[in-house]
Amino acid sequence: MLASGTHKIDLVMRKNIVAGNWKMNKNFEQAEDLVADLTEYFEENKPKCEVIVCPPFLYLEMASDYASESSVLNVSAQNVSAYDNGAYTGEISAEMLKGLDISYCIVGHSERRQYYNETDNQLAQKVDKLLDFSVAPIFCIGELLEERESNNHFSIVKEQLENGLFHLNADEFSNVVIAYEPVWAIGTGVVATPEQAQEMHAHIRELITEKYGDKIANDTTIMYGGSCNPKNAKILFANKDVDGGLIGGASLIAEDFVKIIESF
Ligand code: 13P
């Protein structure tokens, strides 16, 4: 269980989640407008899934303030330091996120793996730091196009899971959310087919079963990410092992993000 307080989540249960990863977008005013629009909309229209926004660090406090007044909105960071507090210029620690009452944090997004050379070992450390402070990791895994084309996608995803998460004990693992994001689908407009998504999500759940057993595997939330939009969300989310989406581009426009959320 996560720490109590103002958290609206109980991560032991599997649930449907739609999360908006804003990446490095929006000035402060635009960011606040988006959070305010979502908060207002969901006061009147209760969603059938959990809703998370993942703004840049500088907007977390603002978003967290809105979330504390909302019965719907949760907030996630996009990254965290692999270290405790100390002489790490430019970094943000898990303790700092916890101090703002942030519930989740994305770890191992493919953009961080690719552009910032984040290694599996560092990602495993980030997961540990977050769990120390009861911030739930949203752990991203997914293969490159050439890995899928050479039929290595299943083994790549297995390796990412094993290296990033399988050092955790069962209780710790129960606080982790997984996002399968095939790199070839991110920001490309080329979405995975519902069959490709379901096949990989089932594979991920099977790997979790082998490691932690049926109960934990069935209780794990596995989101899909990569060119998910208002048109394709419903058919993706209809798959039995797809528990929602981690949305990039389409989460920047309130209307589109709401439509995706209402696909449930
Ligand atoms: P897009 O939805 O823009 O493809 O991005 C997905 C993503 O990277 C979410 O983390």
Side-chain angles (χ1 to χ4, degrees):
M1 285 278 285
L2 283 184
S4 53
T6 60
H7 292 287
K8 295 180 273 286
I9 50 176
D10 173 7
L11 278 167
V12 177
M13 298 298 296
R14 175 169 166 193
K15 62 183 95 173
N16 292 320
I17 300 178
V18 174
N21 176 11
W22 297 3
K23 309 189 180 183
M24 194 174 73
N25 287 295
K26 298 201 177 285
N27 63 33
F28 186 87
E29 196 184 343
Q30 294 163 339
E32 184 162 24
D33 282 351
L34 179 50
V35 175
D37 286 352
L38 294 172
T39 308
E40 195 183 327
Y41 182 82
F42 288 119
E43 286 313 308
E44 302 292 320
N45 308 275
K46 292 293 171 211
K48 295 202 185 77
C49 64
E50 188 165 302
V51 177
I52 307 176
V53 290
C54 320
F57 281 132
L58 285 174
Y59 311 151
L60 287 176
E61 185 169 9
M62 174 275 292
S64 184
D65 285 347
Y66 275 86
S68 69
E69 299 295 318
S70 160
S71 58
V72 171
L73 217 61
N74 288 280
V75 183
S76 171
Q78 298 175 14
N79 185 26
V80 69
S81 172
Y83 303 103
D84 291 320
N85 301 318
Y88 300 102
T89 301
E91 291 286 275
I92 300 289
S93 70
E95 185 177 13
M96 295 173 188
L97 297 181
K98 189 65 188 175
L100 289 184
D101 215 15
I102 302 303
S103 309
Y104 296 92
C105 181
I106 297 173
V107 177
H109 192 281
S110 63
E111 288 149 19
R112 302 242 23 122
R113 293 178 190 259
Q114 272 189 300
Y115 308 148
Y116 301 96
N117 302 316
E118 292 194 356
T119 63
D120 284 344
N121 189 32
Q122 286 171 321
L123 300 178
Q125 285 179 45
K126 290 180 181 214
V127 166
D128 291 345
K129 295 298 166 203
L130 290 170
L131 292 175
D132 281 349
F133 287 93
S134 301
V135 178
I138 299 175
F139 193 78
C140 300
I141 52 181
E143 81 284 356
L144 303 169
L145 183 59
E146 59 260 35
E147 291 164 342
R148 178 166 281 266
E149 286 175 344
S150 57
N151 214 25
N152 283 324
H153 46 303
F154 292 121
S155 56
I156 289 291
V157 161
K158 178 170 191 248
E159 215 171 278
Q160 291 171 335
L161 264 184
E162 286 175 349
N163 294 343
L165 294 178
F166 281 4
H167 63 289
L168 300 174
N169 67 33
D171 283 349
E172 291 165 341
F173 186 84
S174 300
N175 286 321
V176 176
V177 172
I178 292 173
Y180 169 57
E181 299 205 308
V183 180
W184 47 270
I186 296 177
T188 58
V190 181
V191 65
T193 64
E195 294 76 20
Q196 285 171 324
Q198 169 56 29
E199 185 185 36
M200 184 59 88
H201 284 230
H203 172 67
I204 293 166
R205 212 176 292 286
E206 180 56 34
L207 294 168
I208 300 169
T209 303
E210 283 166 20
K211 172 75 181 167
Y212 296 105
D214 264 348
K215 162 118 183 57
I216 289 188
N218 285 328
D219 283 350
T220 303
T221 302
I222 309 174
M223 293 189 270
Y224 168 82
S227 295
C228 188
N229 63 35
K231 290 206 175 78
N232 58 34
K234 202 177 184 79
I235 185 163
L236 284 164
F237 298 169
N239 291 286
K240 83 173 169 52
D241 288 300
V242 178
D243 307 315
L246 182 54
I247 318 300
S251 73
L252 297 172
I253 300 161
E255 205 183 15
D256 287 350
F257 191 50
V258 163
K259 278 190 195 142
I260 294 173
I261 291 162
E262 291 183 340
S263 303
F264 277 113

Coordinates of all heavy atoms in Angstrom, one line a residue, residues 21 23 109 111 181 185-187 225-228 246-249, ligand 1:
N21 N 1.4 12.1 -20.6 CA 2.8 12.5 -20.5 C 3.0 13.7 -21.4 O 3.1 13.6 -22.6 CB 3.7 11.3 -20.9 CG 5.1 11.7 -20.9 OD1 5.5 12.7 -20.4 ND2 6.0 10.8 -21.5
K23 N 5.6 15.5 -21.6 CA 7.0 15.7 -22.1 C 7.4 17.1 -21.8 O 7.0 17.8 -20.9 CB 7.2 15.2 -23.5 CG 6.6 13.8 -23.7 CD 6.9 13.2 -25.0 CE 6.2 11.8 -25.0 NZ 6.5 11.0 -26.2
H109 N 11.3 6.0 -19.6 CA 10.7 6.3 -20.9 C 11.8 6.2 -22.0 O 13.0 6.5 -21.7 CB 10.2 7.8 -20.9 CG 9.3 8.0 -22.0 ND1 9.8 8.3 -23.3 CD2 8.0 8.0 -22.2 CE1 8.8 8.5 -24.1 NE2 7.7 8.3 -23.5
E111 N 12.6 7.9 -24.4 CA 13.3 9.1 -24.7 C 14.5 9.3 -23.7 O 15.5 9.8 -24.1 CB 12.4 10.3 -24.7 CG 11.5 10.3 -26.0 CD 10.1 10.9 -25.8 OE1 9.9 11.6 -24.8 OE2 9.2 10.6 -26.6
E181 N 5.4 0.7 -24.3 CA 5.5 1.7 -25.3 C 6.5 1.3 -26.4 O 7.7 1.5 -26.3 CB 5.9 3.0 -24.7 CG 5.0 3.6 -23.6 CD 5.1 5.1 -23.5 OE1 6.3 5.6 -23.4 OE2 4.1 5.7 -23.6
A185 N 6.2 3.3 -32.2 CA 4.9 3.9 -32.2 C 4.8 5.3 -31.6 O 3.8 6.0 -31.6 CB 3.9 3.0 -31.5
I186 N 5.9 5.7 -30.9 CA 5.9 6.9 -30.1 C 6.1 8.1 -31.0 O 7.1 8.2 -31.7 CB 7.0 6.9 -29.0 CG1 6.7 5.8 -28.0 CG2 7.1 8.2 -28.3 CD1 7.7 5.6 -26.9
G187 N 5.1 8.9 -31.0 CA 5.1 10.2 -31.8 C 5.2 10.0 -33.3 O 5.5 10.9 -34.0
G225 N 1.3 2.7 -24.6 CA 1.6 4.0 -25.1 C 2.2 4.0 -26.5 O 3.0 3.1 -26.8
G226 N 1.9 5.0 -27.2 CA 2.4 5.1 -28.6 C 1.4 5.5 -29.6 O 0.6 4.6 -30.0
S227 N 1.2 6.8 -30.0 CA 0.3 7.2 -31.0 C -1.2 6.8 -30.6 O -2.0 6.6 -31.5 CB 0.6 6.7 -32.4 OG 1.9 7.3 -32.8
C228 N -1.5 6.8 -29.3 CA -2.8 6.5 -28.9 C -3.6 7.8 -29.0 O -3.1 8.9 -28.6 CB -2.8 6.0 -27.4 SG -4.4 5.4 -26.9
L246 N -0.8 5.4 -21.8 CA 0.1 6.5 -21.5 C 0.2 7.4 -22.8 O 0.7 6.9 -23.8 CB 1.5 6.0 -21.1 CG 2.6 7.0 -20.7 CD1 2.1 7.9 -19.6 CD2 3.8 6.3 -20.2
I247 N -0.4 8.6 -22.7 CA -0.7 9.3 -23.9 C 0.3 10.5 -24.0 O 0.5 11.3 -23.0 CB -2.1 9.9 -23.8 CG1 -3.1 8.9 -23.3 CG2 -2.5 10.5 -25.1 CD1 -3.2 7.6 -24.1
G248 N 0.9 10.7 -25.1 CA 1.8 11.8 -25.3 C 1.1 13.0 -26.0 O 0.3 13.7 -25.3
G249 N 1.3 13.1 -27.3 CA 0.7 14.3 -28.0 C -0.7 14.6 -27.8 O -1.1 15.7 -27.5
Ligands
13P1 P1 2.6 9.8 -28.3 O1 1.3 9.5 -27.7 O2 2.8 11.2 -28.7 O3 3.0 8.8 -29.4 O4 3.7 9.5 -27.1 C1 3.6 8.4 -26.3 C2 4.5 8.5 -25.2 O5 5.7 8.5 -25.3 C3 3.9 8.6 -23.8 O6 4.8 8.4 -22.9

